[in-house]
Structures are given as C-alpha cells and as structure tokens.
Amino acid sequence: MPINTTTTVRSSDDSQHPFDDVESVSNLNVIDNSKAIVNTAGEVISSKAGETGYSHTGAFAGKPLTNNYVWESGEGLRYDATDVSNGTYKVFSLDKDVHLAVDNPYWSTPAPTGVKNIGLFEGENLPDGFTSLIDYDFIYNDNYDASGSTGFEGSTGRIKLNECVYGDQLRVRFDFNVIPQIANTTIEPALWYSNRADNDDITFTFPLTASPVFYGTGTVGNTYLNRIEISAWITSNEDVNALTLPAIKADNPVIIQPLGILVTILR
Amino acid sequence: MSIKIKRNEQGNCINFEGSSNPTYWNACLSGEVDSTDLDTVNVVNDIITATSGVKQYEFYRVPFTDFTDRDGNSFATAQECADYITAQANVVGLGGSGTDLTDVVTCVKLDDTSTSIMFDNGHAFGVNTIKAVDTGDGLITIKSELGDITHFTKLDPLNVCDGDGVTIPGGLSDVINYLNELFTVGAFEAIVIADPYSTMIADVSGVDTSVNYVGYGLDPVGNDVFGSTNSNSQNGLKTVETIDQAGEYFTFDIRVEGVIGFGLIHSQSSYDNGYWSGNSGYADPTRFGIDNSAHYGFQFSHWFHPTPNGSWTNYGANTAYSMRAGWSNFNGTTEQADWLAGNPIKVRCGIDTNGFISIETLRDGTDWVVHARTSYPIQQGSEFHLGIKTNSTSARVYSLPKVHLLEPAAPVMNFRFIESPDNNFEYPLFATEEEANYYDEQNGGTGTSHTHTYTDDPTGTTWYMPDTNGEMSGTSAPAADLTLGQPASYTEITSLSNADLTPAQFSSLDITQEEGTNVNIQVTPAGASWSTSVSITPSGSGLVYDGYSVIQGTLTDVGADTTYTISVTRANSYGSTTGTMTVTATDVTPVPTLDTPWTKALDFSGSSEHTKQISNYSSKNPISMGFTGTTVAAHSTDASKTSDAIYSRPWATSVVFKADRNNSNQHIWNYGEGASNNNDNISLRLAANGDLFLVWGQEGSGSNELKITTNISSLHWYGVYIAFKGQRFSSNNATAANLTDAFDVRIMSSIDSFASVGFNQSGVSKWTSTGLGMGRAFGGNLTIGGRYGNRSFHGKVASMVVTTLKANQVMPTDNEILKMTTDPIKWVNNFKVGNSYRRASFGSASSNFQINQTNSAEGTQVWLMGDGSLDSYANGMRNYIQTGDQNNTKMQLNSMVSNDIETVNINGLT
C-alpha cells in the first residue's frame, strides 16, 4: 500500500547548523513497501524507492581541535597573497578524525545506524546501490607525485564517485563562510576535478566553477555564509573514477571557513 | 602581491596601490595590530566605526609583510606597519595645528604673475589668502586669511628667506611684516628694518637685587661687588631675583679688563620643568660656579675677553646665537675705553620682547646696544637668575645688579607710524588701545585715544592713536620717541604706495572666435572698488560693455578675419591703468542650408544624348496643357493672375544648367513632338552664339520667341524659371505685348551664388519673334538635353522642375521662384505638400498634394539628376515626387553612358 508522508529534518546542533535551517525535506510519494526499510516496530525509517540519494559531511581538514572542530570568529583557512598571485584554486581536504568528531547524528528518530566512515547519515539516504559518497581515507600523496602540479598535492579525502553509473548527475552543495580581508574581493567556488583513466592515471584536471561571488566595500572583517551548488555529469569511466574536492579561488586574500558538503547523485 | 601604502598629497587621501580597495580621504582610517593574530594588521574605518558603533574594517588580518611603505620598503613589525598606516592616513596641516616648521629653513616668493605665493616646501597659496601672525611664542605662524586654517607653525624668523635664498633681516615683527607684504603683494621697498624690541617699557630704574657668591666668587673689599680669587670657572655671582617675562632684564656695571661672562641661569623649578634647551648638564643651575667650565649653570651667557677688548664668545647649555652690532662696534667706543681703563660700564642681560636672551651694553648713556642674543626664543614659563662668572682675578662687577621687571601698569609698547597717503606721516600708532591710552596718560593726557584705519594698510588693522601728542600730518618719519624715559624707535606700518593702490592693470589672453559667436569677457572682478571704462576699436564688433563688469555680444559677420582691440581702463583715486586684449572674429564660410544636395548633374555632350520622360500622355505632362487645341483668354479681370478660362492650363518650369557653349543650336529642354514639319514644340533653346530663348513653335510655320538673355557663360551655372499663365493666342493676337503678359521668366546664376531671382525677362522688346498661333494641341514627350535626338545640348543639367499652376491664381512669388530653382526639395515641402494643386490635364484643382502620391506626381515632376534617392544609370532619373514611378514620370537616359552622372559643385547651391 502506498505511503504518502513528509519528513522534515531540522538541525538542533547550532555549531553545524547556525541558522537552524531545514536540513532535509523528503516528500515520499507512492513508496513501494517492498523496498521500504522498516524497524523492528514495523515503522518506515528510510526508503530507497527512488534512485537519487545523497550524503553529507562536515569533515573539512583544518577545523580547530581546540574548539571542538568549530570555527572561531575570524579564524579559518587562509587564502593568502601567494595564492592570489598564483591564481590558485585552493582545495579543501577532508579529514577522517574531523569526520568522526563532527559527523554524528543529532537525532534519535529514526535511530541512526551507527555506521561510521560514510557520512553524517551513516549510510542512510544514499543513492540506490551506493555504499558511500565520501572517501575519508584517500591520501593523494600516497598515490601520486607529491610535488606534482595537479592542485591536489597534499590533499586528503575525496568525493567518491566510483559507484556512479553513466548518466548520473553529481550535485554538490558546498557550505562555507567567507571573511573578506580586503574590499572588492571576488571569490570563485568550484569543484577541483581530475578525470582518471581506469588505471587511475590522471588525464585532465580543471575546475568546475559556480558563479563568482563579489564582496564590496563594507564587507571586510565580516563573516558571510555561502551555500554554493555545483554540478557535474557522469558520463564516462573517467568521470566515475574522477577525483574531486571543493575548492576556492579569489583575487584578494580571504579567510575561508569550510563547513560542509551535501553530495547528491541525481538520476 | 604587495600593497603599497601611499599618501596622495594632492588628493589629500591615501591609496593602497596593488589592492582592490578604493581611495580613502585623509583622517578616515587607522591601522592596528590584530589582537589575535599578532603578525597581521587591520585597517579600521574610523568614520564608519564611530557612526555605526561597530568596528568597520577596510583590511582585516592582512599579514604586515603584505604591505610596503610608499617607497616599496617592507616593515619590520606589524606595529610599525600599523603606525605607518595611521600616520599616512591622518596627516595634519590642512587644519588643526598645521605643519611644524621647527628648524626648517623656508623660502617664500611670488610667481611671475604675482598671483600665487610659493613656498620652497612645495606648497602654494593665492595672494591675499594667507597671513603671518605672531602667536606669542617668538615664532611665526602662517594661517588662512579667512577661516581658521593653520598651515604652518613654529617658523623661526631667522629661518625665513626670500626667493633667492637670502635670509630676511630683522626681528620677528620685521619678518612678519615682510611676509605679510609678500602675501598681499605689498610695496617691499617701504620696509623699515627696525626690531621693536627696544620699545619694551619695563621698570627703568630697577630694583637692587640680593646676590649669592659661589665658589671662589666673593664681594671684594671696596666698592666692587664681585670678584674671584681664582681664574678658573669655579666662581660666580647669582642673583636671588628672577625674571620671566619678555622685556625684563638685569643691569649692572663691570669694570677692569679681564675674562668675564654674564648670562641667565634657570631657576631650579624652571630647570626641573624642562624649560632648558641644549645640554642638560650645562643648564643645571646647581652646577653654576661648581664645575670648572664656563658652560655650567648658564642657559646662555656672553663673555668679554681682554684680547678682543670686548665681546669674545658665548657659553651655556645652548650657545646658538645671533651676533649683533655691539659685538663688533664696541671697539673704539667710550665704553670700551672706560672698561679698559678700569671704569664701570653698564651691562644689560635679559629677555627681549621677542623672547630671546639678549646681552647688551649701554652706549653713550642712552642706547642699549646688543652684543649677542640667542638665536632661539626661550620657552614660555622659563625663569632666570642673573649669573656672572670671571676667569680672571682682576675683573670686577662694580655695582649691585638691579632687576628691571615690567611695571604692572605698563603694557608692552610697540611704536608704529604709517605713511598714508604718500608723504603724509601719522604717529604714534599702537595695535592696542591699552598702549595708546598708556602713552596718552604718560604724556599728560587722561588716558584716551582714538582709532584709525587706512585704505593703504593691506592688513586692514584698526590702529589706536593717543589723544595727546598724536601727529596726523607729519612730513617725515618720526625719530625715536623719548617721552617714556627711554628711546623707543618706531616701526613703520607697511602701507601701499599710490602705485600699489592703483588698480591692477587689466590683462587677458587674446581671443579668436568665429563670426556669430557669443562672447562674454569679464573685465572687472566681483567686488572691485575701481571704475572701469572700455573702448573697442574698430567699431562694429557686435560687442558691448555692460558698464560694470562684462563685455558681451555676438561677433558680427565679417567678410574677412577682423581683429578688434579692447582697451580696459581701471581708475580710482590713486591713478589708473590700461590693459588691452584683442578679439579676432574669423570669417566663416556659410554652411549650406538647402535641403537639395546639389552634388550631381547629367552631362550631355551632343550626339543625341538626352533624357525622355517615359509617358507622353497629356495626363502626365503639365506642358501638354491637357492636349487641348484651342485658344484661351487671359484672366478676365486681373492680368497678373493665371487665366480663369475653362481651358486654362498654366504651368511653370525651372532648370539649373551649365552650358559648354558648343557652337550649335541646342535645346536644353523641349516638350513637343519633334523635328518634323508641323510638329509643335515648347523649348528652352540655346543658340550657337550663346543667346538663350523661350520658344513656342511649330515646325515649318514659325515661332514665338523670347530672348531671355544673351551670350551666357560657360563658366557659370544658370537657373531659368519659365511660368505660363495659361492664355493662348491666335496668330493675330500673339503679339509681343500679349506674350509678355502671358509669361514670367527669370534667370539666376552662380555669379551671385543664386542670391537673386532677378526681374521678369518677358518684355515686349525681348519677344524677338511673334505671331504664331498658340491654339494647337501639344503632344509628345518632355526631353532634356535636346529635342529628342537632335539639337542636342552640350553641357550639364543639375535639376528640372515641371509643375502645373492652378487657374485663376496669383503667380508664384519671388520667394517661391527662388525656392523652386535653388532648392526644389524645400520648394516641394514648403509650397506643395498639403496644398491644393492641379493635375496635369485637369482644369480644376485637387486637394492635398503629397509625396509618393500618383496624382500629385502627375502634376509636378522634380528631377534631381543623380541626387534622387533612386537615381542611377540603370534606374534613370526618378521624379522626386514619386521615386517609385517607372512608367510615367521617370526620365529614361538615351544615348548616354553611366559616367554621364557627374559630381558637381555649384557655387551658391552645393
């Protein structure tokens, strides 16, 4: 029998969700009971009726241990003058320790699965057939030349696309704070993206950019939340095997506080 | 990436070059080291922060290493960087306290036009916009004349020099006077260099002091009060009394040749308060006479020595000094002789009116002559004892020193006089009422005074003159005033001479403008106090003086460039000056205002070249007159009008052409049937001899011919207008008189640029052939450039207009004739469009003539011979009234080639 229900998930953890925003809304229509996940009481707690799914993590490397991995006012990752001069897309790594510290379910109903290394939802809400969308264990320098020039050098973690199929669309919502240090600064958020051949050789590296964001006079020293959405298609083996992490480029030094990414696979 | 912090003096702002930040005004920003990240710098917008209550950053936590100073130098610390930003972003000088010029030599001059004051530190001001003032610190302050902006402070008068680098002589007042004269473009030759320090009125008699002796110093036996038992510097005489005001001093007598010095010693409190300058050890009053050095204890002292027999050197904490006249002219004086002879001479040590420590001797019993004084003023609050030391056991102080303090009731007196007007001297004048009243009282008055202001005093000061002893008509400058117990020399109030007060000569750059240009020249500035008169030669410029300040008007059209000289005389009670300028009106070729382009023409060169109107229907040809074969009566009542008969079909033509003067019989245009016998034709014919005819003829039968003109020139373009009133006569009635009445014929030319339409050429005597009956029907085509293939024209035709006229109407005016010939497009727009008209074969009128309307195009044809929008060799010459018409009114080109459409330049039209 079809179930028609709406589930709204609202954050109660202000450190991760400062605006008490709606974390997710799923309107499940015509749920196929044969694919519904039920608990021992027979209640529907999740569903994989649709093939679309997502994962979220706030496990950005650099979050301060001294403040329970919550950015303090004015602190953050520096996009400095050297980065400006070089026109660098600064890649933001993921850190397993941070993941374990911050990606903890804040709800009790439905009961979290308790499975780690997958994301905040502990494996729930993933697209059909996926085991994870985040690889916290990936260390770039262990696999490639640490003194190379791909832009991933020194990075850790990656958005894992290996379980995608041709035709999937990757949609990443990149949440971060920006603190302009100089007036009239333009930032360009992006996914830093490397296609890889089946043997994991990197073939092409490029940014998949979102629209630039401009900070004019009167913005310096203030903190601005951005929730940028970036998309990519998955249409070849090189896409399925791609490396990608969020990144930012700017024309002036800025302080970035990466907060989280919501990785969605659309079908 | 580096950000260069650079102040823009001209813009009074600060730039951060290399960043995307905007420019900020002075006094908006400050730098600070970030409280959390000590290697970074914040730049705070103080204005927004103050108004909003929330700290507003312009740079936030930027590493100090990202910044450099204006020269590209890095900063050593974040604090140094922040301080530099604050300093560069908050530069004083345009208000507030001004720029400190301590120890800065500053030269000042006027520019060549005497309109700007230029400082060698790069600043410049307009004359009469700044002033030099004495603010009581013995130094000069430069302020704005209006408002309260201080530009410079603490300018030492000894550091002021002129444009040649020559130091300005005199005391504080003299230098201030010099500067103010410069700032007001005054009369420099009138400066009197006389430091008014001697006009101080202190207690002339003085009061005996109490003295203490130090070291080997003692009161020797006899009348002398000071000597030393040792020739080193460990001795001294020091008064208990002190002086602390400008104008106060000590006097005493010395005698017997020997090394002896006298000067001022700080009181302990004065020293402790830091009022000393120079070497603090030397200035320490507790060291006076204790240490074996002449320096110790003195702020400043002056020493006599036997070898020069007088002034020798200076000792003290700060011995920067100004050598004065007494240093060198002591030699040979009675006083020197007395001193050498062991007789007492009088010495004065004190603070002069300008705040300098001054050492003087009395000359001839009346004049105090300065030997040396400090080159620096002492600080307000300083307090001094008198100190005397000797390096000789023979030198003596003869009399107990007296202290001369300012009398409480005696103001500082500065005696001044003015020469106003030239050769008239008025004195004494004082800057304050208190001085004047004091003088009055001391001279037997009741302590009253009156005021004067002088138009030639550039400072506009109100001066006070005592009611007693005042002189307002002196013939020469006053000598020293002796009425107050001591000589008081006068300082002249700088006044402007008559020449200075004569209005400045008018000057202006010469002007060159096109004729017809509006000109507005201000010859008298607002607020001017002089009268102005103006003359402009030669007359006829179009410019007029408004009687007060402005010459204005529109430059008259001129035949050639014309220069007018404007003489401006300014006058007041001191004299007059005259300055001149010129205004040149340039001749401008008139800009064509015609709507018709007149850039093209058809060139005919015989050989049957001609154009032919496509249709030969009478309904498309006004000259066909409806193909009516009948005589027509003239207007029944008014001979000036077109015929009012039923078959009245009046018409008009106008053609602009230029003939090659080929020696042949040629038709410029022709309407009719051709060259065969009995063919009827109406034409404009050019005879081989250059005579021009209107012809109404029938081949084989004769013609009515009007000789319009004779022997036309190949050098000029002609316009021939022919209007026919509609009356058509039998052979008997085709008389010269009747024909004369039936036509209006005009000829214009480029000789006068087509300015005049001339008179009607249809005169009785000009009808050279008559008697041809006019009642035959006319068919055929209109041709231009010949009569079909014969009588071909040699020359150019630039336009052809053929139009119907309405019956029973007045004939076209001269204005319409002119327009139809010289500007057919404008003629159409002004005289045809919207008006009633007659279709070609109709007797009555139709309403509302319109462009691109077939009936209108039947009644009027305008061929622009290449200037039409669709005219081309392929398209033929289109009728401007209906350019799309190809079947009726188009002119087709026969026996012609494409380059027969030529570019032309017609004087008066193109």
Side-chain angles (χ1 to χ4, degrees):
Chain A
M1 175 181 177
I3 297 173
N4 195 354
T5 183
T6 298
T7 302
T8 299
V9 180
R10 189 176 298 278
S11 169
S12 60
D13 177 0
D14 282 346
S15 65
Q16 299 301 314
H17 308 282
F19 298 100
D20 192 25
D21 54 321
V22 174
E23 186 62 31
S24 67
V25 175
S26 59
N27 194 353
L28 308 179
N29 295 315
V30 194
I31 293 177
D32 181 352
N33 274 339
S34 65
K35 292 185 177 181
I37 298 174
V38 296
N39 63 11
T40 53
E43 298 170 323
V44 176
I45 58 172
S46 181
S47 172
K48 293 184 179 177
E51 295 178 326
T52 292
Y54 53 80
S55 180
H56 183 276
T57 185
F60 279 108
K63 284 188 175 181
L65 174 63
T66 53
N67 197 39
N68 296 322
Y69 299 103
V70 175
W71 293 111
E72 292 183 275
S73 176
E75 297 294 340
L77 302 178
R78 295 296 186 102
Y79 190 92
D80 61 18
T82 302
D83 295 324
V84 173
S85 298
N86 294 336
T88 303
Y89 272 93
K90 191 177 189 71
V91 172
F92 298 103
S93 294
L94 301 175
D95 186 305
K96 189 170 184 179
D97 291 338
V98 180
H99 161 64
L100 296 175
V102 304
D103 288 338
N104 296 309
Y106 48 84
W107 62 92
S108 57
T109 303
T113 65
V115 179
K116 299 300 182 185
N117 295 333
I118 299 177
L120 174 66
F121 308 124
E122 298 184 337
E124 300 293 355
N125 309 328
L126 286 169
D128 195 13
F130 273 67
T131 58
S132 74
L133 277 167
I134 311 292
D135 181 356
Y136 297 103
D137 297 319
F138 181 78
I139 300 174
Y140 179 87
N141 286 0
D142 290 348
N143 296 278
Y144 299 97
D145 181 3
S147 57
S149 57
T150 64
F152 279 110
E153 287 72 22
S155 66
T156 57
R158 57 183 280 248
I159 297 171
K160 182 183 171 188
L161 305 175
N162 296 73
E163 293 169 318
C164 288
V165 297
Y166 309 147
D168 284 352
Q169 183 188 142
L170 169 64
R171 194 72 70 81
V172 177
R173 195 189 77 198
F174 179 24
D175 301 347
F176 60 95
N177 288 329
V178 171
I179 306 168
Q181 294 177 274
I182 297 175
N184 300 323
T185 294
T186 300
I187 65 165
E188 297 174 73
L191 282 180
W192 192 247
Y193 196 90
S194 285
N195 284 124
R196 296 195 300 180
D198 291 343
N199 62 359
D200 290 344
D201 285 348
I202 291 175
T203 54
F204 300 102
T205 301
F206 46 88
L208 293 167
T209 58
S211 297
V213 184
F214 177 74
Y215 295 93
T217 55
T219 63
V220 174
N222 299 330
T223 301
Y224 297 93
L225 172 65
N226 291 263
R227 307 179 89 188
I228 303 295
E229 197 161 78
I230 313 166
S231 58
W233 62 63
I234 307 297
T235 195
S236 68
N237 274 11
E238 291 198 356
D239 292 327
V240 171
N241 199 30
L243 295 180
T244 186
L245 281 171
I248 278 180
K249 178 184 175 184
D251 62 355
N252 275 320
V254 290
I255 298 171
I256 303 293
Q257 297 175 339
L259 301 175
I261 49 173
L262 176 66
V263 182
T264 304
I265 298 298
L266 298 175
R267 289 179 175 167
Chain B
M1 171 185 177
S2 66
I3 301 170
K4 185 178 289 185
I5 304 160
K6 203 167 183 181
R7 174 171 166 71
N8 182 335
E9 292 290 346
Q10 285 68 35
N12 190 29
C13 56
I14 184 168
N15 298 323
F16 293 92
E17 293 183 358
S19 87
S20 53
N21 278 47
T23 293
Y24 299 91
W25 293 113
N26 188 41
C28 288
L29 306 181
S30 60
E32 65 175 24
V33 177
D34 186 81
S35 59
T36 302
D37 188 344
L38 300 181
D39 286 332
T40 64
V41 170
N42 301 326
V43 178
V44 179
N45 190 317
D46 298 325
I47 303 298
I48 297 177
T49 300
T51 53
S52 68
V54 178
K55 185 173 280 190
Q56 173 66 52
Y57 296 100
E58 298 298 345
F59 290 88
Y60 181 71
R61 292 191 179 182
V62 176
F64 76 88
T65 52
D66 285 355
F67 289 103
T68 69
D69 68 12
R70 63 174 298 118
D71 299 318
N73 301 313
S74 301
F75 296 101
T77 65
Q79 188 62 56
E80 182 186 358
C81 176
D83 291 345
Y84 184 83
I85 292 170
T86 300
Q88 294 300 305
N90 296 274
V91 175
V92 297
L94 297 176
S97 58
T99 301
D100 188 337
L101 293 181
T102 299
D103 295 331
V104 177
V105 175
T106 303
C107 297
V108 191
K109 61 178 288 189
L110 294 175
D111 72 339
D112 291 341
T113 62
S114 295
T115 54
S116 296
I117 305 155
M118 301 184 294
F119 287 71
D120 66 353
N121 56 20
H123 291 268
F125 305 90
V127 297
N128 299 314
T129 63
I130 57 173
K131 60 186 175 185
V133 295
D134 174 7
T135 52
D137 57 359
L139 302 169
I140 299 169
T141 295
I142 309 293
K143 304 184 69 173
S144 63
E145 183 65 38
L146 295 177
D148 189 24
I149 296 177
T150 298
H151 298 294
F152 304 109
T153 63
K154 299 183 179 178
L155 174 59
D156 190 327
L158 296 173
N159 285 336
V160 178
C161 49
D162 63 16
D164 296 324
V166 178
T167 302
I168 306 305
L172 176 66
S173 298
D174 301 313
V175 177
I176 288 176
N177 284 344
Y178 173 85
L179 290 174
N180 284 329
E181 287 199 80
L182 185 78
F183 297 164
T184 57
V185 199
F188 308 118
E189 69 279 6
I191 289 177
V192 174
I193 303 302
D195 194 329
Y197 82 92
S198 62
T199 60
M200 294 296 295
I201 307 297
D203 173 15
V204 175
S205 300
V207 177
D208 284 343
T209 59
S210 299
V211 300
N212 293 314
Y213 298 95
V214 181
Y216 294 108
L218 79 169
D219 179 4
V221 65
N223 292 332
D224 296 329
V225 299
F226 174 67
S228 175
T229 60
N230 195 308
S231 57
N232 64 13
S233 295
Q234 294 171 304
N235 68 83
L237 176 152
K238 181 179 178 183
T239 65
V240 174
E241 290 76 12
T242 58
I243 60 174
D244 59 8
Q245 300 295 318
E248 293 184 333
Y249 54 89
F250 296 96
T251 59
F252 52 94
D253 293 278
I254 61 171
R255 73 178 194 86
V256 186
E257 181 182 18
V259 179
I260 185 168
F262 13 84
L264 299 183
I265 305 168
H266 279 285
S267 68
Q268 192 60 49
S269 62
S270 177
Y271 177 77
D272 292 343
N273 287 329
Y275 296 137
W276 51 272
S277 70
N279 186 304
S280 62
Y282 291 164
D284 184 351
T286 64
R287 311 284 290 275
F288 176 74
I290 303 303
D291 294 274
N292 186 20
S293 166
H295 287 297
Y296 280 102
F298 287 120
Q299 172 61 47
F300 181 83
S301 66
H302 183 62
W303 289 68
F304 276 27
H305 193 283
T307 299
N309 291 332
S311 288
W312 170 47
T313 191
N314 307 306
Y315 287 112
N318 185 347
T319 56
Y321 73 108
S322 173
M323 180 183 288
R324 312 300 285 187
W327 193 304
S328 57
N329 67 14
F330 188 67
N331 281 329
T333 62
T334 301
E335 287 72 29
Q336 184 189 44
D338 283 341
W339 182 56
L340 297 177
N343 298 323
I345 64 170
K346 197 166 285 295
V347 179
R348 184 160 85 170
C349 293
I351 309 168
D352 72 9
T353 55
N354 294 321
F356 300 109
I357 296 174
S358 182
I359 314 294
E360 306 154 13
T361 58
L362 186 64
R363 183 75 53 85
D364 299 330
T366 56
D367 297 331
W368 288 105
V369 178
V370 182
H371 286 242
R373 67 162 173 79
T374 57
S375 62
Y376 54 90
I378 60 168
Q379 191 167 346
Q380 182 69 35
S382 299
E383 185 180 61
F384 297 104
H385 302 276
L386 171 67
I388 304 174
K389 285 185 193 178
T390 178
N391 288 153
S392 166
T393 56
S394 57
R396 295 288 185 271
V397 174
Y398 173 72
S399 63
L400 187 64
K402 291 179 180 293
V403 63
H404 302 258
L405 303 176
L406 289 173
E407 295 179 9
V412 174
M413 303 287 286
N414 287 288
F415 286 77
R416 303 175 194 268
F417 74 95
I418 192 169
E419 182 182 2
S420 175
D422 290 359
N423 302 316
N424 182 72
F425 296 85
E426 299 189 15
Y427 54 88
L429 295 167
F430 299 96
T432 65
E433 185 177 21
E434 181 186 16
E435 292 173 80
N437 290 350
Y438 178 81
Y439 181 93
D440 183 78
E441 189 172 21
Q442 295 300 308
N443 281 277
T446 57
T448 56
S449 59
H450 57 278
T451 61
H452 288 278
T453 57
Y454 299 93
T455 57
D456 46 2
D457 171 11
T459 67
T461 303
T462 297
W463 298 100
Y464 296 87
M465 177 180 280
D467 291 338
T468 304
N469 282 359
E471 176 59 66
M472 288 186 281
S473 57
T475 56
S476 62
D481 184 275
L482 303 174
T483 65
L484 297 183
Q486 68 178 78
S489 57
Y490 279 88
T491 298
E492 182 176 8
I493 299 168
T494 302
S495 59
L496 303 176
S497 66
N498 287 353
D500 297 321
L501 293 167
T502 300
Q505 186 181 49
F506 166 79
S507 67
S508 176
L509 296 176
D510 295 339
I511 295 173
T512 298
Q513 293 286 353
E514 294 180 348
E515 60 187 4
T517 302
N518 288 321
V519 173
N520 193 322
I521 306 166
Q522 183 174 13
V523 296
T524 307
S529 58
W530 60 77
S531 62
T532 303
S533 60
V534 171
S535 68
I536 305 172
T537 56
S539 60
S541 64
L543 304 181
V544 176
Y545 176 52
D546 71 352
Y548 175 64
S549 64
V550 173
I551 296 171
Q552 55 191 359
T554 302
L555 289 174
T556 303
D557 287 347
V558 292
D561 294 356
T562 304
T563 298
Y564 302 96
T565 300
I566 298 175
S567 299
V568 179
T569 301
R570 296 170 168 175
N572 61 14
S573 59
Y574 296 94
S576 65
T577 58
T578 299
T580 62
M581 66 173 294
T582 63
V583 176
T584 299
T586 56
D587 186 29
V588 180
T589 302
V591 176
T593 58
L594 303 180
D595 294 343
T596 306
W598 295 112
T599 63
K600 299 291 183 183
L602 284 182
D603 181 63
F604 300 94
S605 51
S607 304
S608 300
E609 291 185 0
H610 68 279
T611 70
K612 183 178 77 174
Q613 183 177 338
I614 293 292
S615 172
N616 60 1
Y617 289 4
S618 63
S619 61
K620 314 299 179 187
N621 286 274
I623 304 177
S624 172
M625 297 173 286
F627 202 59
T628 54
T630 179
T631 57
V632 178
H635 193 278
S636 56
T637 58
D638 186 349
S640 68
K641 290 185 175 179
T642 55
S643 168
D644 56 356
I646 188 170
Y647 289 113
S648 172
R649 300 292 187 271
W651 49 262
T653 68
S654 180
V655 64
V656 173
F657 69 94
K658 183 181 182 185
D660 295 342
R661 282 300 313 277
N662 184 272
N663 185 20
S664 61
N665 189 20
Q666 307 161 50
H667 284 203
I668 297 172
W669 61 260
N670 184 91
Y671 178 77
E673 296 150 5
S676 300
N677 200 35
N678 289 327
N679 282 170
D680 298 294
N681 295 286
I682 298 172
S683 64
L684 178 64
R685 182 172 69 86
L686 178 63
N689 65 357
D691 293 348
L692 194 62
F693 293 90
L694 163 63
V695 180
W696 187 303
Q698 180 185 3
E699 286 300 302
S701 299
S703 62
N704 301 321
E705 288 197 356
L706 169 70
K707 183 184 286 186
I708 300 171
T709 189
T710 59
N711 193 25
I712 64 171
S713 170
S714 62
L715 300 177
H716 302 297
W717 287 82
Y718 294 89
V720 174
Y721 165 85
I722 299 170
F724 172 57
K725 291 179 180 174
Q727 53 263 51
R728 298 162 67 179
F729 307 114
S730 64
S731 58
N732 290 336
N733 291 332
T735 64
N738 285 338
L739 290 168
T740 296
D741 287 341
F743 289 90
D744 183 3
V745 179
R746 310 293 180 100
I747 181 167
M748 292 158 267
S749 75
S750 59
I751 297 172
D752 68 347
S753 302
F754 289 86
S756 171
V757 297
F759 55 88
N760 186 358
Q761 303 292 332
S762 178
V764 172
S765 63
K766 302 185 77 171
W767 282 99
T768 56
S769 175
T770 60
L772 177 68
M774 301 165 68
R776 290 171 57 85
F778 279 76
N781 299 79
L782 176 69
T783 57
I784 298 171
R787 186 178 65 184
Y788 298 95
N790 56 61
R791 295 194 175 178
S792 298
F793 177 53
H794 295 256
K796 297 178 176 63
V797 176
S799 76
M800 176 74 190
V801 176
V802 179
T803 185
T804 57
L805 298 177
K806 291 182 292 185
N808 191 23
Q809 296 292 320
V810 295
M811 293 289 280
T813 63
D814 283 1
N815 182 36
E816 183 173 355
I817 296 168
L818 183 67
K819 289 290 187 297
M820 186 189 299
T821 305
T822 62
D823 197 355
I825 292 177
K826 187 171 288 183
W827 168 73
V828 169
N829 292 326
N830 290 0
F831 293 92
K832 301 300 287 184
V833 172
N835 296 327
S836 61
Y837 67 101
R838 186 174 63 78
R839 294 172 66 179
S841 58
F842 282 45
S844 57
S846 300
S847 62
N848 193 20
F849 183 99
Q850 287 297 320
I851 299 287
N852 293 324
Q853 200 262 345
T854 301
N855 292 343
S856 298
E858 291 175 355
T860 300
Q861 292 90 48
V862 176
W863 294 285
L864 300 175
M865 304 306 181
D867 281 324
S869 60
L870 295 180
D871 288 355
S872 69
Y873 180 73
N875 288 344
M877 301 297 109
R878 299 299 180 88
N879 179 9
Y880 173 78
I881 306 303
Q882 191 175 28
T883 54
D885 171 28
Q886 302 185 61
N887 301 318
N888 298 310
T889 60
K890 182 182 83 170
M891 278 285 182
Q892 67 182 29
L893 278 55
N894 295 330
S895 302
M896 302 187 72
V897 294
S898 60
N899 59 10
D900 284 332
I901 303 173
E902 294 187 351
T903 298
V904 296
N905 190 322
I906 305 172
N907 183 37
L909 298 182
T910 302

